[in-house]
Amino acid sequence: MKEEKSRLHREIAISTANLATNSGLLNHIKDTLQRVNQRQKTPEETIRLLKNTEKVILDSLYSNKVWDDFFVQFEAVNPFFTKKLVQEFGLSPGELKICCFLRMNVSYKEIAVLLNVSHSSIKQSAYRIKKKLRLPKEQSVFSFLHAL
């Protein structure tokens, strides 16, 4: 049992690293394509190709498949974690994502990259989560989630 749990923890860590890598790479490619599209005087066909490539990359960034795979592994290691957050505190799916990442010791900055949002958006979401959890000012969301 202990070996299985350890294996699942490693798989979650690998999935988290893959999420970060894929999101970072796709964001970089998207930004590069935007710069090329803005700076180059290219034929219409090239511009259309670049825009289509950008759309494919954006679609990939918002794909839920990677999250779904991560969530299955996370639930195997942390049974009832998300159910308790939903049932007792009414957290939304987006808030649950952030809580899962925080439970895995992922920083706000890393979560922002994974979810393709700004760092300040994650900080604001964490603040809202703290209010929903009815935590005292001196207790962090991080410590609460690790105690669950």
Side-chain angles (χ1 to χ4, degrees):
M1 179 71 168
K2 197 172 191 177
E3 288 178 35
E4 177 69 9
K5 194 168 186 174
S6 177
R7 183 187 64 78
L8 290 172
H9 274 290
R10 284 192 303 276
E11 286 179 9
I12 289 174
I14 290 167
S15 293
T16 301
N18 286 337
L19 279 170
T21 301
N22 290 340
S23 290
L25 177 62
L26 289 173
N27 275 318
H28 175 73
I29 292 169
K30 177 185 69 77
D31 293 342
T32 301
L33 286 173
Q34 285 174 336
R35 284 193 301 273
V36 168
N37 195 20
Q38 292 170 357
R39 293 183 186 166
Q40 296 293 322
K41 305 284 189 220
T42 58
E44 282 184 356
E45 185 64 30
T46 304
I47 292 172
R48 189 165 42 86
L49 177 64
L50 288 172
K51 287 184 179 182
N52 287 340
T53 303
E54 183 179 356
K55 182 185 179 319
V56 167
I57 291 168
L58 285 171
D59 290 345
S60 176
L61 280 172
Y62 297 111
S63 169
N64 283 328
K65 175 154 181 19
V66 176
W67 165 253
D68 292 341
D69 293 344
F70 170 84
F71 189 73
V72 167
Q73 292 175 346
F74 182 87
E75 282 288 298
V77 175
N78 302 284
F80 309 112
F81 176 79
T82 56
K83 287 179 183 142
K84 185 171 185 173
L85 290 174
V86 170
Q87 290 172 350
E88 291 185 24
F89 304 103
L91 297 187
S92 70
E95 292 166 335
L96 286 176
K97 281 184 184 182
I98 292 170
C99 289
C100 289
F101 287 127
L102 289 174
R103 174 84 177 227
M104 294 296 303
N105 296 322
V106 179
S107 71
Y108 288 166
K109 187 175 181 180
E110 292 167 324
I111 295 170
V113 170
L114 291 170
L115 299 180
N116 195 33
V117 297
S118 70
H119 179 255
S120 60
S121 293
I122 297 301
K123 287 175 72 174
Q124 182 64 38
S125 294
Y127 174 76
R128 287 189 197 108
I129 291 168
K130 183 173 182 167
K131 287 180 77 173
K132 280 189 172 183
L133 298 175
R134 300 177 295 276
L135 299 179
K137 192 172 186 173
E138 61 278 354
Q139 185 176 13
S140 72
V141 174
F142 178 81
S143 65
F144 176 82
L145 294 175
H146 279 273
L148 277 180

